Amino acid sequence: MSRILVVEDELAIAELIAINLRHAGHEVAIAVDAEQAINEVDAVLPDLVVLDWMLPGQSGLTLARRWRADPRTQSLPVIMLTARGEESDKIAGLDAGADDYLTKPFSTHELMARIRAVLRRKAPEALEEAVSAGHLRVDPATRRVSAGAQDLRLGPTEFKLLHFLVTHPERVHSRKQLLDRVWGDHVFIEERTVDVHVKRLRDALAPAGCASMIETVRGVGYRLVRPSNSLVTP
Ligand code: CA
């Protein structure tokens, strides 16, 4: 369900991390230097980056700062790896915008736990956990959407779109952001594609009376609004 980019020039370590991540159901890309990492992120925004500090050429620290300075990548979850365990390094890493920090050698079990924690905090749509808004329930593990006892039929793209909106409710998302986070492509897909799928999503939610939860914010994009408590019947 989630895309993770591993930036590490020591291939044995990169492969070990990748194997564990794939085993946990993640989609993994490996970059061996900063340039490759930049190209990967420019093409497809990952859900999380595991970033080694010591890279040939530009360091992981510089890379983290660069991503934090760009509006498209400023909230990209980053877990930093380093061979040095000094407190000053940890502070520098977190200052550069890393969400967490792990010292080598680390156990892959520990890394997986940290990844899960960071995703839960920053990219909950990347986890296979059921979420709800109002009486809508979205379960990525079974790909089911229900409203009370009623099952709703959604296409795969509408499912991903709804899942993303439900995990990031009340916030306005531009079409560009939705293409990045739901489609994984912000360059080659036309923005009106989003409108087409939003319409299909509303049509799919209509039988449960939930179509109006997907709001158009004129000139900006879309947001999911949770029905106010006064409208929910017990
Ligand atoms: Ca390295």
Side-chain angles (χ1 to χ4, degrees), residues 8-10 52 54-55 104:
E8 166 66 272
D9 57 312
E10 287 159 85
D52 187 36
M54 297 299 285
L55 294 169
K104 292 178 184 173

Side-chain angles (χ1 to χ4, degrees), residues 51-54 80-85 89 101-105:
L51 177 61
D52 187 36
W53 182 315
M54 297 299 285
M80 197 113 196
L81 303 180
T82 179
R84 296 166 54 185
D89 285 358
Y101 180 99
L102 218 54
T103 304
K104 292 178 184 173

Side-chain angles (χ1 to χ4, degrees), residues 40-73:
E40 286 283 346
V41 170
D42 281 352
V44 179
L45 194 62
D47 293 301
L48 184 141
V49 180
V50 176
L51 177 61
D52 187 36
W53 182 315
M54 297 299 285
L55 294 169
Q58 212 179 118
S59 76
L61 201 66
T62 311
L63 205 47
R65 285 202 192 99
R66 177 196 173 106
W67 283 328
R68 283 299 171 260
D70 179 344
R72 178 170 170 258
T73 49

Side-chain angles (χ1 to χ4, degrees), residues 154-172:
L154 270 68
T157 304
E158 287 72 59
F159 182 91
K160 282 181 79 177
L161 180 59
L162 177 64
H163 186 227
F164 179 77
L165 291 170
V166 169
T167 47
H168 300 81
E170 311 293 337
R171 262 179 275 171
V172 184

